[in-house]
Amino acid sequence: MKVKSNDEMPGHLARRFQQIATAVFLSETTAAGYDLTPVQYAALSAIKLHPEIDQITLAGLIAYDRTTITGVVDRLVEKGLIIRTASSRDRRSRELTLTARGEEVLAGVTPAVEAAQQMMLRGLSQTEAAQLMRLLRKVIDDANDLSRAPYKPLPSR
Amino acid sequence: MKVKSNDEMPGHLARRFQQIATAVFLSETTAAGYDLTPVQYAALSAIKLHPEIDQITLAGLIAYDRTTITGVVDRLVEKGLIIRTASSRDRRSRELTLTARGEEVLAGVTPAVEAAQQMMLRGLSQTEAAQLMRLLRKVIDDANDLSRAPYKPLPSR
DNA sequence: CTAGATTGATCAGCATACTGAAGATCATTA
DNA sequence: TAATGATCTTCAGTATGCTGATCAATCTAG
């Protein structure tokens, strides 16, 4: 049987890239004095853009699984970065909003996050980096509904 | 503060692509009647190529963390796909080798794995797919030492 | 040859991710 | 309006991944 090299497997390359992206993110943000995971940062910035968002809508915006978001939100609440209150319109759902400290942390850590995005692409030229991101967006967009946690844009109200 | 869209974050794109790759892998291999994770498949095929490999070398070949490999190997042993024996040369290390059933499973599941690799790139043309993989290889190669579990080629003996 | 450094494996602890199920609540329709 | 279905959240269970520590075995320098 012919065995394919890992380098020929897009799935393997995906795992490696994500592994590196996470390591660089944590290294940069830790060096800047913050204690946030990539996932927590994405949630935080989505909540800033959409105050009083419920968990399901948040999960759709950043393509998280609905069961994963529960723990992420728990930890953000524990850290005092967001508050979770029962919705008055729909008592099933919880509304998420940044605290003042959440605003501070988000603003403070963002430069380190930007630096991380640069560093993880350091092997590529500007043109290549743009090309990679274009191709990733295309492939992700086309395969969006193949995972249990697809991206779902904000419902228009 | 200007907040960047997720689409402009390579780290976010990395997570999404990996999420999709895993989902497609599991969907295809499950449909083919197998119960293997992407990580278990990679380990299995590396062990086939390098019988009697020790765990640290295996981890380096597929860029796993050394502490993660323990559990993965545990589960492959439980499933009867590999055997783990104490090395006679170095009593600290364990030698891993496929069982007959491991060989069968690897051979049997491989078509589904190949199909998954095609499906996760279904939004791209042949040219674009090759381009994406080239750029991913380049970025990963250059940032290899930025994660705790870098790729380490087989030591020449 | 032996003290100190290194290495292979494992462990505890934490944080994603997913499957499938449950409970509470809401919406719709007969 | 009452029954039915859908939705929001959470939970138990499993599998990566990582940090930092420990233990046993090996290697190396003085």
Side-chain angles (χ1 to χ4, degrees), chain A residues 37 39-40 65-68 72 75 90-92 148-149:
Chain A
T37 66
V39 156
Q40 288 167 11
D65 191 87
R66 68 185 191 281
T67 61
T68 303
V72 174
R75 285 178 282 276
D90 183 342
R91 276 180 310 172
R92 289 170 304 182
R148 170 161 136 158

Side-chain angles (χ1 to χ4, degrees), chain B residues 37 39-40 65-68 75 90-92 148-149:
Chain B
T37 67
V39 156
Q40 289 166 12
D65 191 87
R66 67 184 191 283
T67 61
T68 303
R75 285 178 282 276
D90 183 341
R91 276 179 309 174
R92 287 171 306 182
R148 169 163 137 158

Side-chain angles (χ1 to χ4, degrees), chain B residues 73-132:
Chain B
V73 166
D74 280 350
R75 285 178 282 276
L76 289 175
V77 169
E78 270 169 31
K79 288 178 180 177
L81 305 183
I82 66 175
I83 51 171
R84 170 168 45 183
T85 58
S87 167
S88 50
R89 293 185 300 269
D90 183 341
R91 276 179 309 174
R92 287 171 306 182
S93 76
R94 317 298 198 82
E95 292 173 349
L96 309 175
T97 302
L98 292 196
T99 61
R101 208 160 114 53
E103 296 266 5
E104 280 171 30
V105 166
L106 181 59
V109 79
T110 291
V113 173
E114 308 267 354
Q117 308 303 308
Q118 297 294 320
M119 177 167 299
M120 70 184 69
L121 295 183
R122 69 180 189 187
L124 302 185
S125 69
Q126 288 286 325
T127 307
E128 286 175 324
Q131 184 79 341
L132 174 60

Side-chain angles (χ1 to χ4, degrees), chain A residues 54-145:
Chain A
D54 67 292
Q55 296 186 185
I56 289 281
T57 309
L58 171 62
L61 274 183
I62 49 189
Y64 288 10
D65 191 87
R66 68 185 191 281
T67 61
T68 303
I69 206 83
T70 300
V72 174
V73 166
D74 279 350
R75 285 178 282 276
L76 288 175
V77 169
E78 271 169 29
K79 289 179 180 176
L81 305 183
I82 65 174
I83 51 171
R84 169 168 46 183
T85 57
S87 168
S88 50
R89 292 185 300 269
D90 183 342
R91 276 180 310 172
R92 289 170 304 182
S93 76
R94 316 298 197 85
E95 291 174 350
L96 309 176
T97 303
L98 292 196
T99 62
R101 208 162 113 52
E103 296 266 5
E104 281 171 29
V105 165
L106 181 60
V109 78
T110 293
V113 173
E114 308 267 354
Q117 308 303 308
Q118 298 294 322
M119 177 166 300
M120 70 184 68
L121 295 183
R122 69 179 188 186
L124 302 185
S125 69
Q126 288 286 326
T127 308
E128 286 174 324
Q131 184 79 341
L132 174 59
M133 292 183 63
R134 184 185 73 80
L135 291 170
L136 282 175
R137 275 192 292 267
K138 187 168 183 180
V139 88
I140 288 165
D141 184 60
D142 201 82
N144 186 49
D145 57 339

